[in-house]
Amino acid sequence: MSLAVLYSRSISGMDSPLVTVEVHIANGLPSFTIVGLPETEVKESKDRVRAALQNAQFEFPARRITVNLAPADLPKESGRFDLPIALGILAATGQIPSDKLAQYEWAGELALTGELRPIRGALAMTYGASCSGRSFVLPQQNAAEAALVKEAKVYPATSLLQICAHLAGREPLQLYSARPATNAAAATADYPDLEEVKGQAHAKRALEIAAAGGHSVLMLGPPGTGKSMLAARFPGILPSMTEDEALESAAMQSLSSGGFNVANWKRRPYRAPHHTASGVALVGGGSNPRPGEISLAMNGVLFLDELPEFDRKVLEVLREPLESGHITISRAARQADFPARFQLIAAMNPCPCGYLGHYSGKCHCTPDQVARYRGKISGPLLDRIDIQIEVPAVPQEDLMRQQPGEPSSAVQQRVEAAHQRQLQRQGKTNARLTVKGIDKYCTPDAQGENLLKQAISRLNFSARAYHRVLKVARTIADLAGSAGIISTHIAEAVQYRRLDRS
């Protein structure tokens, strides 16, 4: 047999399109050609495959070898095609049986010794293989990640020789069946506890509301008031993840260069990029589009500390995903859609020196300097942040108090209860309600409506800010176990728009 056909998968955004690997051996001068839009990593597989076959004591044919990766118009990248190419050469030259090749899909990078190295995107590829009805053979290091896909048949392997022994029927590969633990309590156990934060009852209350309703938060206060501590403890009070949410988050992290750590299964992602991050790092991009920080924080938290220090153009790219929950990366030859449903937690100082309003009185910033500093955050972006609060300096008596505050576990129980009320009522969190949903579920009583009219008139709320106040008020009512929105809920929601510009 001089032709072998195998199946593998490529990665295109969140999708994993099928790739047919065709290997043809013909008479003629020795050559090794790979066609089908291979990128540099795929072209370099020729040398890895040759060395791996020779070191595994197989014969490398001194003939004309042509490898076609179909479809031809789909770009192919990474070393995941090493394994199917090597198996195709062995099958086409009759060194291994070819009757079982079509039952599986193959992916793995080969070391020069013939050992298998882990690949990126194993979770998305396994999902595609499961939908096609074929089993998936991949490196041992990716097995736990791939097994997160229910009903998938995953066969891990450590080397090319082990796979050849399986195809020959001598030592069959074992089906991987282990799955990670799904204990919700264990998933939040590693987060820092909220009880360690002294004082800041107002900020803790705001974060509890944000966690219950999926709202974004901006904290403004002097250095050392606990803004970063509060943000780091925020994931520990979020509702527990569902299977679908955990799989979405794991799939996004699987596409990143670092891959997905199975130990983080059902743990909310927490991403905190430095303020020098570029727009591409934040939203994703590249010639072969990859997810950015907003997508890697899928179903988790994106913390932006020192918000005005980010480049303004970088911050503006957050406007669309904050509103829509997804981002589209368009390039000349490729386009990719990534989900971006994350909770934004941002922190900033009140002025350039950071001490405006501090009890020490050491701030000497002029009003113009303060205005220019805060003006680095555009009105449209600020308008999209649901909760905007001040985090003042902690009084000495609170700071020196030995008694711990309320633990994260107690707060998380209230958040979970409010979250379940939202799912039972409308099937989504309050932050994701559309205008139609707001009209249906967020109508206040007569007194609350009058109070909201006064706030709109005095604070010049935009239509977006008006809708966000109603969403936050609905969450406050859910935490209180109230079926309707009353004036006290509206009053508390309005005070969380303290930074709105008049």
Side-chain angles (χ1 to χ4, degrees), residues 27 34-35 108 110 117 146 158 203 239 249 313 333 339 351 372 381 395 421 450 493 497:
N27 294 324
I34 300 178
V35 296
L110 285 174
R117 288 177 173 157
T158 58
S249 296
K313 293 181 179 179
C351 66
R372 282 196 299 271
L381 176 60
R421 289 189 187 100
N450 290 333
R497 303 292 302 186

Side-chain angles (χ1 to χ4, degrees), residues 74-253:
L74 176 69
K76 320 296 188 308
E77 48 85 28
S78 94
R80 66 174 61 90
F81 298 107
D82 290 2
L83 177 60
I85 290 174
L87 292 175
I89 292 174
L90 294 176
T93 54
Q95 298 183 68
I96 61 171
S98 60
D99 55 327
K100 298 181 181 178
L101 293 178
Q103 301 175 17
Y104 304 94
E105 293 185 10
W106 315 85
E109 180 182 329
L110 285 174
L112 301 187
T113 60
E115 301 294 315
L116 286 176
R117 288 177 173 157
I119 56 174
R120 180 178 63 85
L123 198 58
M125 298 171 69
T126 307
Y127 179 76
S130 177
C131 293
S132 70
R134 284 185 283 266
S135 302
F136 195 39
V137 180
L138 78 174
Q140 178 75 46
Q141 296 94 320
N142 294 116
E145 173 188 338
L148 296 175
V149 180
K150 289 184 176 180
E151 309 301 330
K153 295 181 179 179
V154 176
Y155 290 90
T158 58
S159 67
L160 178 63
L161 281 174
Q162 187 182 13
I163 293 175
C164 292
H166 169 76
L167 293 173
R170 294 193 303 271
E171 296 181 15
L173 294 174
Q174 298 300 312
L175 183 67
Y176 192 90
S177 58
R179 282 181 59 81
T182 58
N183 187 347
T188 58
D190 294 336
Y191 288 117
D193 202 288
L194 200 61
E195 69 178 6
E196 300 170 354
V197 181
K198 302 291 182 65
Q200 303 299 4
H202 179 66
K204 291 178 182 179
R205 168 65 175 172
L207 290 183
E208 181 178 339
I209 295 168
H215 305 289
S216 52
V217 181
L218 173 61
M219 297 181 287
L220 181 142
T225 57
K227 301 186 297 295
S228 297
M229 285 186 68
L230 288 165
R233 284 148 182 80
F234 183 71
I237 65 172
L238 289 173
S240 55
M241 297 184 81
T242 64
E243 285 279 337
D244 290 341
E245 288 177 334
L247 195 58
E248 284 179 327
S249 296
M252 291 306 310
Q253 294 172 55

Side-chain angles (χ1 to χ4, degrees), residues 428-443:
K428 62 180 73 172
T429 59
N430 291 328
R432 296 175 59 189
L433 285 173
T434 61
V435 174
K436 185 177 180 180
I438 293 172
D439 293 339
K440 184 175 181 180
Y441 301 112
C442 303
T443 303

Side-chain angles (χ1 to χ4, degrees), residues 248-474:
E248 284 179 327
S249 296
M252 291 306 310
Q253 294 172 55
S254 173
L255 298 176
S256 69
S257 56
F260 174 67
N261 184 356
V262 181
N264 293 328
W265 174 247
K266 282 206 168 185
R267 292 189 76 237
R268 298 275 182 182
Y270 180 80
R271 310 288 299 189
H274 193 259
H275 58 76
T276 55
S278 66
V280 171
L282 212 57
V283 302
S287 56
N288 177 39
R290 292 193 182 185
E293 292 290 339
I294 63 173
S295 296
L296 296 177
M298 178 72 178
N299 295 319
V301 179
L302 177 68
F303 177 49
L304 301 183
D305 199 7
E306 306 295 344
L307 191 65
E309 301 302 328
F310 283 81
D311 186 270
R312 180 163 179 151
K313 293 181 179 179
V314 173
L315 291 180
E316 292 306 296
V317 301
L318 293 174
R319 286 160 57 174
E320 179 191 344
L322 274 174
E323 199 77 22
S324 63
H326 70 88
I327 185 72
T328 300
I329 308 296
S330 297
R331 296 294 180 262
R334 303 187 70 175
Q335 179 174 307
D337 288 306
F338 295 110
R341 293 189 300 276
F342 62 94
Q343 278 190 256
L344 173 66
I345 305 295
M348 61 179 287
N349 293 328
C351 66
C353 79
Y355 290 95
L356 180 66
H358 195 269
Y359 59 79
S360 65
K362 58 183 179 181
C363 175
H364 300 289
C365 298
T366 65
D368 285 344
Q369 289 175 324
V370 174
R372 282 196 299 271
Y373 178 76
R374 297 191 182 186
K376 293 180 180 179
I377 305 172
S378 69
L381 176 60
L382 192 64
D383 212 28
R384 286 172 166 84
I385 300 178
D386 299 350
I387 297 175
Q388 307 155 9
I389 57 171
E390 295 182 11
V391 184
V394 182
Q396 291 183 2
E397 56 271 19
D398 287 347
L399 191 61
M400 300 179 69
R401 179 166 47 87
Q402 297 298 320
Q403 185 179 359
E406 189 177 28
S408 294
S409 57
V411 179
Q412 203 263 352
Q413 289 179 4
R414 295 196 297 268
V415 167
E416 187 74 55
H419 179 69
Q420 292 302 320
R421 289 189 187 100
Q422 296 165 47
L423 296 184
Q424 292 170 8
R425 182 179 60 240
Q426 65 221 16
K428 62 180 73 172
T429 59
N430 291 328
R432 296 175 59 189
L433 285 173
T434 61
V435 174
K436 185 177 180 180
I438 293 172
D439 293 339
K440 184 175 181 180
Y441 301 112
C442 303
T443 303
D445 62 6
Q447 191 176 359
E449 188 173 345
N450 290 333
L451 181 60
L452 187 54
K453 288 179 180 178
Q454 295 176 32
I456 293 173
S457 175
R458 293 182 182 181
L459 299 177
N460 290 332
F461 282 162
S462 66
R464 182 182 286 114
Y466 162 74
H467 286 143
R468 275 166 161 69
V469 167
L470 287 174
K471 292 179 184 180
V472 172
R474 178 65 266 178

Side-chain angles (χ1 to χ4, degrees), residues 22-43:
E22 302 170 331
V23 181
H24 182 249
I25 310 293
N27 294 324
L29 293 175
S31 64
F32 195 161
T33 305
I34 300 178
V35 296
L37 279 186
E39 296 190 3
T40 303
E41 305 100 311
V42 183
K43 293 178 181 178

